[in-house]
Each structure stands twice: as structure tokens, then as C-alpha cells.
Amino acid sequence: MSTTPHSVRTTDYHTAGEPFRIVDEDLPPVPGDTVAERRALALRLGPLDELRRLLVREPRGHSGMYGGFIVPPDDDGAHFGVLFWHKDGYSTACGHGTMALGAWAVDTGRVPAPDDGDVPVRIDVPSGRVTATVHRAGGRTTGVTFRNVPTRVLARKVPVTTTSGTVEVDLADSGACYVSVPARALGLDTTRASLPALVRAGREIRAAFPEHDVYGVILYDELPDTPTGPHQRNVTVFADGQIDRSPCGSGTSARLALLGDEGRLAPGDTFTHGSVADTVFTGRLLPGGVTEVTGVTYRTGTHTFVLDPHDDLGTGFLL
């Protein structure tokens, strides 16, 4: 406990309902020459991981909290790097976090932006270099478009045995590995009432792919197409049973790649992707497996979290 800072300052955002907590100071040294190397070392760095636990656990956080530590970029081609974290560790990709970071970079003046127009914010993440293009109008941010690393389809119609029966799933890598399955194949739908059953199913399916290091399971419902393309709603269960409140940024990239592989996305089509919180991302599939996902993100607060050295709960707990 003694190695954890007594106080740490954060700036919090939400992207389509999913939280993102940003720390750009009060960080212990993070060795490594690249963001990917720093992520590989992060779990072994006692002070840094104590800080993650302090911010994600109750009473300062909760099991659904997400965030990022700002670190140097791999080279001067990016504005900064980030280590994404959640309650179980450090992820390789995070689309909603990338959108929040784009807005934060503009809000703080780290990246100058016009009152009207677009500005790209280049960010090095463990899976590669991504871009958050911040859209501005009337002196405010109106949306952010996340351009991901190339996404590739890994496998189609893989049978998986669950307690609800055998289902066929698809796999795609969009900076992290996602499994996709229709919720109805499990006798479920993507409503709030189904969340406990969706989490159970997500955990079962993820456990069936230890060799793929699956990060998230996307359980989706088909909705009527919009005039511009396919429309789905999903619940993404990631890490150890966490629920993405947003439509999931990198998960939307995975869905775009699979829809393209199915021939359901024509050039210029827009995919509309909804969440259990009734928020929406829109996405486009570009040549070479490149995807762009657009959403809205808002600052929710700035905080100074304190760890009292006499606090018996230390870095906190998870229920």
C-alpha cells in the first residue's frame, strides 16, 4: 500500500454510456520502448497496478470502470500513447476509450483544434496506431470518429457447446479478438432483463477459446435495416464478465469486418450499431479491412482520488 500515491488526479469521460477514466500525471515510471512493451510489463509493475486497482475498484470505481494511463508514443508520429485498463488488467484495444481520448486531447489543448472542422488525434495503443478524428462545430466537439488498425476475420461458423445448446460463432480480430453470436441462437435477446443470462453465455463462450485469447463476446440482435445499411443491437461481454454499456468501439470494428465478409455492406454503406443503454455507434468498412466508427463522448468530471494511509480497505474491493 505504501507505494501507491496518496492522491491521483483523473479526468473522466463517457462514450455512449461507457466510462473512461484518464490519468496523465502522478504515474510511476513505466519502462519499455513501445506501448505494447509497456502493456506486457504493466501487470508486473507493483506501483502502477496498485494505481489501476485503486481507480477501478470500489469505493472509488466499480467493476465496470474503464480507463487509460497516458504514456509516451512509440515515435513522434503519434501525439501520445495509452495503456488501457479495466478491472482484470490491461487490454490491447479500446475504441470507446480512443474516442474519449481524442476529445480529451482537444479539450486540454494538447492537440489544437478549430472551432469548426475536424482534427486528427493520433494515438499509439498496444495493438498499433489508431486515429481519433474529432469533429467540431461552433466551438464544441460534436462527435469523434475512431479509425482502427486493420480488422481481419479469423473463423466462421465455429461450433461451441454451451449450457443453452451448441451454437455457431464467428471470430474477428480488430486489435483484440472478438467472438460474435446471435443472441437468439441462445434463446436470448439483447434487453436489460437478459443481462445475467448474456453474461453467463459470454463467459462460457469465451472459455471455449483459450488458444485465441478472446477478449470479448458480442451477442447481437438483428434489427430492420436503415436506408443506409444494416442495423443491429448488441451486448458485448468482455474480460471476466464485464458489460460494455456502449455498442463497443473495437467490437463494432469486428462486426463491420464480418458483415463485409457476408456481403452485407456495399461501398458507402453505414452500419448502425446499438447498445443495451440505447446509445448508437455508426461504422464504415474501408478497403484493406480498415474500419471507422463514429460516436459521441462527453466529459463527466475531474477528480482527485485520495488513499488515506490508515484506510484498512487499501486499494479497495470488487463485488
Side-chain angles (χ1 to χ4, degrees):
M1 187 189 305
S2 62
T3 57
T4 303
H6 285 180
S7 67
V8 58
R9 290 174 290 279
T10 74
T11 305
D12 285 21
Y13 283 73
H14 83 82
T15 305
E18 179 73 357
F20 196 75
R21 179 163 285 170
I22 301 167
V23 186
D24 69 325
E25 52 187 20
D26 302 317
L27 285 171
V30 186
D33 294 328
T34 66
V35 174
E37 287 180 9
R38 293 184 184 99
R39 175 185 177 266
L41 293 168
L43 278 171
R44 287 180 268 165
L45 298 176
L48 186 71
D49 207 52
E50 283 188 11
L51 182 58
R52 175 189 67 83
R53 294 195 298 270
L54 180 78
L55 296 173
V56 77
R57 292 179 174 186
E58 296 185 50
R60 299 165 190 85
H62 53 82
S63 61
M65 180 55 66
Y66 218 111
F69 296 140
I70 304 301
V71 297
D74 293 354
D75 57 51
D76 59 9
H79 292 100
F80 53 88
V82 62
L83 298 179
F84 297 122
W85 47 261
H86 48 78
K87 78 175 179 69
D88 297 312
Y90 300 85
S91 56
T92 56
C94 178
H96 91 275
T98 299
M99 295 184 206
L101 287 165
W104 168 81
V106 167
D107 290 344
T108 59
R110 184 183 285 262
V111 177
D115 285 345
D116 297 279
D118 300 336
V119 58
V121 179
R122 294 177 297 278
I123 307 169
D124 283 335
V125 308
S127 57
R129 181 162 294 167
V130 298
T131 301
T133 298
V134 181
H135 309 297
R136 305 270 294 168
R140 61 179 289 266
T141 294
T142 58
V144 182
T145 295
F146 156 57
R147 177 172 284 200
N148 200 4
V149 299
T151 298
R152 58 195 177 97
V153 175
L154 299 176
R156 303 299 306 246
K157 298 186 181 303
V158 180
V160 175
T161 301
T162 75
T163 53
S164 299
T166 299
V167 295
E168 291 186 335
V169 306
D170 302 320
L171 284 79
D173 189 317
S174 54
C177 182
Y178 287 89
V179 175
S180 287
V181 59
R184 60 178 173 76
L186 295 152
L188 301 171
D189 57 26
T190 57
T191 61
R192 298 186 189 194
S194 296
L195 287 176
L198 291 167
V199 170
R200 285 194 298 272
R203 281 175 160 157
E204 284 185 354
I205 293 169
R206 181 173 181 251
F209 293 95
E211 72 282 5
H212 281 286
D213 191 22
V214 168
Y215 175 65
V217 177
I218 302 169
L219 303 110
Y220 65 92
D221 283 334
E222 295 283 357
L223 301 177
D225 286 359
T226 73
T228 58
H231 185 191
Q232 296 177 346
R233 182 177 58 239
N234 89 99
V235 171
T236 297
V237 180
F238 67 94
D240 185 25
Q242 289 173 256
I243 298 167
D244 198 323
R245 275 72 172 163
S246 80
C248 188
S250 48
T252 299
S253 288
R255 294 299 307 142
L256 282 162
L258 290 165
L259 288 167
D261 187 61
E262 294 166 10
R264 294 185 57 192
L265 279 173
D269 279 358
T270 296
F271 172 46
T272 302
H273 207 199
S275 77
V276 70
D278 297 322
T279 55
V280 172
F281 287 159
T282 56
R284 297 189 307 146
L285 180 62
L286 306 178
V290 174
T291 59
E292 288 186 339
V293 179
T294 300
V296 293
T297 185
Y298 299 99
R299 185 162 62 95
T300 59
T302 55
H303 309 278
T304 300
F305 291 102
V306 176
L307 175 60
D308 189 313
H310 302 289
D311 186 346
D312 291 338
L313 287 176
T315 54
F317 59 91
L318 291 170
L319 294 179

